[in-house]
Amino acid sequence: MYREDQNKVNELFNIKYPIIQGGMIWHSGWRLASAVSNNGGLGLIGAGSMYPDILRENIRKCKAATDKPFGVNVPMLYPNLDEVIKIILEEGVKIVFTSAGNPKTYTETLQKEGLKVAHVVSSTKFAIKCEDAGVDAIVAEGFEAGGHNGRDETTTFCLIPNVKKHISKPLIAAGGIGLGSQMKAAMILGADGVQIGSRFAATEEASSHENFKNKVISLNEGDTQLTLKELAPVRLIKNNFFYDLERLYETGRDVEALKETLGRARAKRGMFEGDLDQGELEIGQVSALIDEILPVEKVFQKLLKEFRDASFIDF
């Protein structure tokens, strides 16, 4: 029987429910993070799309909007990392999720200052490296997830039980989770909690453009695809920008041409400014199950009801 008061993730982060909101670029500002934390989960500010001064502003506004724990997600493929870490420490943030890089880079530095550190991986091999690096929790993300992803295309259902066999740290499942029943399935497979991105991207509090949110709730199966393996694999909605990338592949997979196309602030243009034609639109496969934009409070109500109502056939 699941007990909220006996959950490793709840205990580690001092939260009510083992639900982590993914720190998505252009979605995860202070409004979303504070709303998730106020409803019993762990909200994360997405540092990847913020200049250092904007990150500091978001941290301060989040502290003013909630007295609950929240954290910052730091993708290590972006610049200004030392400055970002300095701001996190100066502003008294207690939880950091790192991704897209070596877990050893900042874990010890942050833990010496009393922070809890989780790292996101896409394979069992890297989960073991995280454990060796001493992180406090590991997020194992299947390739159903939106945004930057693993090259191996391992699904969440295959990844979670395998990672569970090889680590002892609290395990958080991510990728393809947007319903309470999916959350329960992940925990049956061995996860101690879940990280949810796409479902929170389509909320009233997300900082992304309304055009993008409305696009998300219109998607069907097959409307997203993993691409850009030569650079950093990413799952995108199929739009004209996506097909422009595909045409570059047809001309010989010119990495420099791909970099040039990506270097025009496409992610901001798509998700934050709402250009559905020529913008980069990142979202997960679970978007096909999302059909309405909701306030975070309603998302939590639905997740928890679906989790508790999920039943099993006994053979």
Side-chain angles (χ1 to χ4, degrees), residues 16-17 34-41 68 296-298 300 304:
K16 185 174 182 180
Y17 306 117
S34 62
V36 170
S37 292
N38 282 332
N39 278 280
K68 308 295 184 184
V296 165
E297 182 179 9
K298 287 286 182 64
F300 266 82
L304 295 172

Side-chain angles (χ1 to χ4, degrees), residues 16 37 147 192 209 218 270 279 292:
K16 185 174 182 180
S37 292
D192 300 295
H209 198 281
S218 73
E292 56 183 337

